Amino acid sequence: FFSVKTGQPPGKRTPMATTAALSRPKATPMASSASVPDDIPVLRDLRMHLTGDAAPSLSSSSSPPSSSSPASATIDPERRSAVALPVAAIKSLLGVIRRSEANTMMGLQEELREAGDAMMTYARTSPHALGLGGRSTIALASGCELFMKYVTRCFLEAPDFATCMANVVERGERFADISLAARDRIADVGRSFVRDGSVVLTHGWSRVVASILLKAAETRHFSVIVLEGRPDAAGAKAAKVYADAGIPTTVVLDSAMGYVMERADMVVVGAEGVVENGGVVNKMGTYALGVCARESGKPFYVAAESYKFARLFPLNQRDLPTMGPNAELTFVDTASWEATGGMAPTKGGDSGIAAAATTDEIPGVVRLRPGRVEVENPPCDYTPAKYITLLFTDLGVLTPSAVSDELIRLYQ
């Protein structure tokens, strides 16, 4: 009921980046700017598709996402819609085509490039406005690039530009529908790998991994171990989703992955991007998890939509493209917390508990002297293909060696 696609002999291939230097994205005038106005139409559309707001306001969303709002319980644990950022960007580009007044294909392509650059710049300079934390720019870039390749392939076949534009809109709508349905196709493919009575180990929150596990839970009984890491509490949010679905769920710190690995039967993670050599870029800690799974003899599966396939060829962690400003870290000795649970009592002798307004009010805060200690908080790491067993995609079940061939088919 499923097929595993393996790499084919290279034959005659389209040249791609084969060195670390070529893997870095080319700078464009828009992408290199410090900021971009947040009221341009494509950004308003992007926000609307992500949140469902009728009259979105990007500037009002500059703070990090919170799981405390009612929408987080009904939509997803990161207070965003079920639509992934690349799909929202694709639908926003479709709006650019519909509004376009270009009278040549070159003019339309330029408008699409400027819109794509605007979304990339905004994602890099204001990641919290879209709830990104600087993590999803690779998928955003590859999704936009694939969309533009797909919709503009037909321009040589049309007798006039009006017909060409109609074909472009039709192809754009089809591509958006295909991208939106990708997660469901992956869930159908991946659920068969989850066996009755098995223990699934996963890392943080991933929409596509959640779709697989929730689909599998409809017909099978299994348990999930979720690794929790800083700074977004994504593991805890994911655990809530699985527990609400009736799946026995355990949360452990990501530093305990080696400790719980012997209890797991399989590892399933998502991906921010799938690169040409079959490796993946994902939430920090995925690389260590892959190494640990291989040394323990456990299968390591990656679930990713094909619009996350990126023409990158990293050789090591330093080759990853810049993904925007990193989230700040606050260091707290939670073991020293008292019964307040880390919250400070309200002033004036009130016995109630109130959230601390500043870090000065939180017990156990460890302060580091600026200039004395450098704090790094990279959002993602690169996991080489040798640690990956299979990839669950909307193109089917792939071996890592097949990714390059699929990229050629996608971009040719």
Side-chain angles (χ1 to χ4, degrees):
F1 47 89
F2 64 88
S3 61
V4 177
K5 297 183 181 179
T6 57
Q8 301 297 323
K12 188 176 288 186
R13 295 188 174 188
T14 303
M16 286 191 180
T18 55
T19 66
L22 292 178
S23 72
R24 300 187 182 280
K26 296 180 180 178
T28 62
M30 177 68 77
S32 61
S33 61
S35 62
V36 61
D38 60 8
D39 59 347
I40 64 177
V42 69
L43 294 184
R44 291 199 300 267
D45 287 351
L46 182 65
R47 182 67 181 177
M48 179 182 66
H49 293 309
L50 283 172
T51 65
D53 294 338
S57 173
L58 288 168
S59 59
S60 65
S61 302
S62 59
S63 60
S66 169
S67 62
S68 60
S69 65
S72 67
T74 57
I75 298 178
D76 74 36
E78 292 185 324
R79 206 180 65 178
R80 292 179 300 198
S81 69
V83 178
L85 176 63
V87 176
I90 288 167
K91 294 168 77 69
S92 301
L93 290 177
L94 189 57
V96 172
I97 295 175
R98 292 192 177 111
R99 290 189 299 268
S100 176
E101 297 180 356
N103 51 21
T104 64
M105 180 54 67
M106 184 174 295
L108 176 62
Q109 289 175 324
E110 183 61 27
E111 288 183 10
L112 290 173
R113 274 194 294 268
E114 289 179 357
D117 290 342
M119 289 188 287
M120 284 294 298
T121 300
Y122 192 76
R124 285 175 176 148
T125 58
S126 306
H128 292 314
L130 299 177
L132 300 182
R135 294 195 310 271
S136 297
T137 54
I138 292 178
L140 174 60
S142 60
C144 290
E145 186 176 2
L146 275 171
F147 175 83
M148 288 186 279
K149 288 280 187 183
Y150 184 83
V151 300
T152 57
R153 285 174 181 167
C154 63
F155 76 98
L156 293 177
E157 304 170 2
D160 54 69
F161 188 70
T163 304
C164 177
M165 281 296 290
N167 291 342
V168 166
V169 171
E170 188 273 333
R171 288 175 69 88
E173 291 174 345
R174 188 190 316 158
F175 189 87
D177 291 341
I178 291 172
S179 301
L180 194 59
R183 201 181 307 155
D184 292 334
R185 292 196 294 273
I186 296 173
D188 289 335
V189 167
R191 65 172 178 173
S192 59
F193 287 79
V194 181
R195 303 298 183 186
D196 264 319
S198 62
V199 177
V200 181
L201 177 60
T202 187
H203 184 37
W205 167 252
S206 166
R207 289 184 182 91
V208 67
V209 171
S211 68
I212 292 175
L213 298 181
L214 295 179
K215 190 77 171 179
E218 295 175 0
T219 57
R220 293 175 174 84
H221 298 283
F222 59 93
S223 59
V224 174
I225 300 176
V226 185
L227 298 179
E228 160 65 6
R230 304 268 317 264
D232 56 359
K237 298 170 185 175
K240 184 178 184 303
V241 172
Y242 299 140
D244 289 346
I247 303 174
T249 306
T250 303
V251 179
V252 299
L253 295 178
D254 54 5
S255 55
M257 63 178 68
Y259 179 82
V260 299
M261 183 62 70
E262 63 185 28
R263 292 158 48 187
D265 297 299
M266 59 185 291
V267 180
V268 184
V269 298
E272 296 293 336
V274 180
V275 298
E276 186 185 349
N277 57 18
V280 298
V281 178
N282 194 42
K283 179 180 174 66
M284 180 58 58
T286 303
Y287 176 36
L289 183 59
V291 174
C292 189
R294 185 183 184 188
E295 291 300 315
S296 301
K298 304 299 174 69
F300 186 85
Y301 301 119
V302 177
E305 302 90 332
S306 59
Y307 56 71
K308 292 181 178 178
F309 284 26
R311 293 192 293 182
L312 302 174
F313 206 118
L315 301 178
N316 50 45
Q317 308 298 332
R318 290 172 295 182
D319 289 336
L320 294 181
T322 302
M323 285 172 278
N326 297 331
E328 294 184 2
L329 289 176
T330 299
F331 299 94
V332 182
D333 177 11
T334 57
S336 68
W337 286 4
E338 298 179 359
T340 60
M343 299 295 104
T346 56
K347 295 181 179 180
D350 190 349
S351 58
I353 301 301
T358 67
T359 57
D360 293 335
E361 301 177 29
I362 301 177
V365 172
V366 179
R367 295 174 180 79
L368 303 175
R369 291 186 180 181
R372 289 285 190 91
V373 179
E374 182 178 352
V375 178
E376 291 188 12
N377 184 27
C380 297
D381 59 22
Y382 162 63
T383 304
K386 65 181 180 180
Y387 298 109
I388 300 171
T389 307
L390 292 171
L391 295 102
F392 303 150
T393 77
D394 49 303
L395 305 176
V397 180
L398 306 180
T399 60
S401 60
V403 171
S404 179
D405 293 315
E406 293 300 330
L407 269 169
I408 292 173
R409 294 187 184 98
L410 289 171
Y411 283 94
Q412 69 184 0

